[in-house]
Amino acid sequence: MTAHIRRLTALLSLCLLAAPALAEPDLSELTNYRAYSPMLSSSGQPSAEQLEAVRDAGFERVVFLALTDSEGSIENEDTIVKQLGMEFVHIPVIWDSPSPDDVALFLALMSGAPEKKTLVHCQVNYRASAFSFLYRVLHEDVPVDEAKDDLDSVWTPNETWQQLIFDVLEANGVSPDCDTCLWE
């Protein structure tokens, strides 16, 4: 009996070593993918196939911050995400005129259920990284310089987006200034 148990144990060990399905899904193929914490990530537009990997990585919610007719958007993303068993939220943020109301809606959504593992995305992760910056600073108490470093790893906000960030921070009593922050 002992030899039989050893053989079964060895066989089970080999099966576990050979099981590729146990590997963590690779999200690095998502455009400008950034994982800020175990519960919050942002990226550019995922494909339908990449949304499956998002689900397989344990995400429970997808927040889309661009217009449905934006270049590269996928048709029926809401349906695809819902069929994959995730929550889908669409906040249509106009690129040339993002508003503090857009941000307020996003912040309310995120702070209302911070325990939901969330992917925030837009076309190339500009809107999503800016909104994630604001959420992290205002609701997760991430220092401005740390959040700004993450934002800078994706893009340098243009004048319109910088002004939005400054306005939202000021309305919440937070300064955008820090020793390493270059807002240009």
Side-chain angles (χ1 to χ4, degrees):
M1 184 88 169
T2 309
H4 180 69
I5 292 174
R6 280 193 297 253
R7 281 193 300 269
L8 285 174
T9 303
L11 181 60
L12 179 60
S13 295
L14 285 172
C15 289
L16 289 175
L17 288 173
L22 296 178
E24 183 73 20
D26 181 16
L27 299 179
S28 66
E29 294 297 316
L30 293 172
T31 302
N32 289 324
Y33 178 75
R34 297 296 183 276
Y36 305 112
S37 72
M39 303 310 286
L40 177 63
S41 297
S42 69
S43 76
Q45 176 67 57
S47 67
E49 296 77 22
Q50 289 170 328
L51 286 168
E52 287 185 45
V54 167
R55 185 238 6 239
D56 293 346
F59 285 86
E60 302 165 275
R61 175 172 55 196
V62 174
V63 179
F64 177 41
L65 297 178
L67 301 177
T68 56
D69 64 352
S70 295
E71 183 178 334
S73 64
I74 57 174
E75 190 173 343
N76 301 320
E77 180 177 355
D78 55 347
T79 302
I80 294 167
V81 170
K82 297 291 277 182
Q83 287 176 343
L84 289 169
M86 296 179 287
E87 177 183 346
F88 180 80
V89 179
H90 182 212
I91 302 173
V93 179
I94 298 171
W95 172 252
D96 292 329
S97 58
S99 76
D101 289 341
D102 296 332
V103 176
L105 182 58
F106 175 75
L107 296 176
L109 168 77
M110 295 298 294
S111 63
E115 73 286 350
K116 283 193 176 184
K117 187 171 182 178
T118 302
L119 174 69
V120 183
H121 82 84
C122 55
Q123 289 173 282
V124 293
N125 199 11
Y126 289 1
R127 293 172 183 95
S129 62
F131 277 44
S132 294
F133 166 89
L134 289 165
Y135 174 71
R136 293 172 68 217
V137 169
L138 298 174
H139 290 275
E140 293 186 333
D141 297 321
V142 173
V144 170
D145 59 343
E146 181 181 329
K148 179 69 164 77
D149 285 345
D150 290 331
L151 179 62
D152 288 344
S153 75
V154 177
W155 73 305
T156 301
N158 64 25
E159 186 177 322
T160 298
W161 281 85
Q162 181 178 311
Q163 191 59 55
L164 173 72
I165 291 168
F166 284 12
D167 290 348
V168 171
L169 290 176
E170 182 181 328
N172 287 277
V174 176
S175 171
D177 298 325
C178 69
D179 291 340
T180 60
C181 295
L182 297 175
W183 295 98
E184 297 178 17

